[in-house]
Amino acid sequence: MLELRPNCECCDTDLHADSTDARICTFECTFCATCSEEILHNICPNCGGELLQRPRRPLTKLQSSPASTKRVYNPELQKKFRQN
């Protein structure tokens, strides 16, 4: 089951479980649409995989299978990719 991480690893923007702006790779690295498209060019900086829109869990299932609350944030990503 997907963790549905609560934020963008690049800019720390909140990404709610039902967000259409969340992008993930196969390892569930999570980014917002803006960082994914404009900074990372839809390539995960951690594994090199493609970033795709994250599926949304139905609200009725979020009660029994809630989204993760663990935030992953690496502010160095923005600096690294903005230089290129």
Side-chain angles (χ1 to χ4, degrees):
M1 182 179 339
L2 292 175
E3 286 184 28
L4 302 179
R5 295 178 186 166
N7 67 305
C8 173
E9 291 182 30
C10 192
C11 70
D12 204 31
T13 295
D14 289 338
L15 295 168
H16 301 285
D18 62 347
S19 175
T20 59
D21 288 332
R23 304 291 184 266
I24 63 170
C25 69
T26 60
F27 290 97
E28 295 187 60
C29 301
T30 304
F31 302 94
C32 68
T34 301
C35 287
S36 177
E37 294 162 13
E38 296 178 13
I39 297 173
L40 305 172
H41 306 288
N42 296 311
I43 301 296
C44 178
N46 302 317
C47 71
E50 65 182 328
L51 294 169
L52 300 172
Q53 185 173 3
R54 179 178 72 189
R56 292 174 285 157
R57 187 167 298 149
L59 294 177
T60 56
K61 299 295 182 185
L62 279 171
Q63 291 177 341
S64 61
S65 300
S68 174
T69 58
K70 178 185 171 193
R71 297 180 80 84
V72 177
Y73 176 51
N74 183 354
E76 296 300 313
L77 286 176
Q78 275 196 14
K79 292 176 190 174
K80 177 181 176 182
F81 285 91
R82 289 208 188 269
Q83 292 172 355
N84 294 334

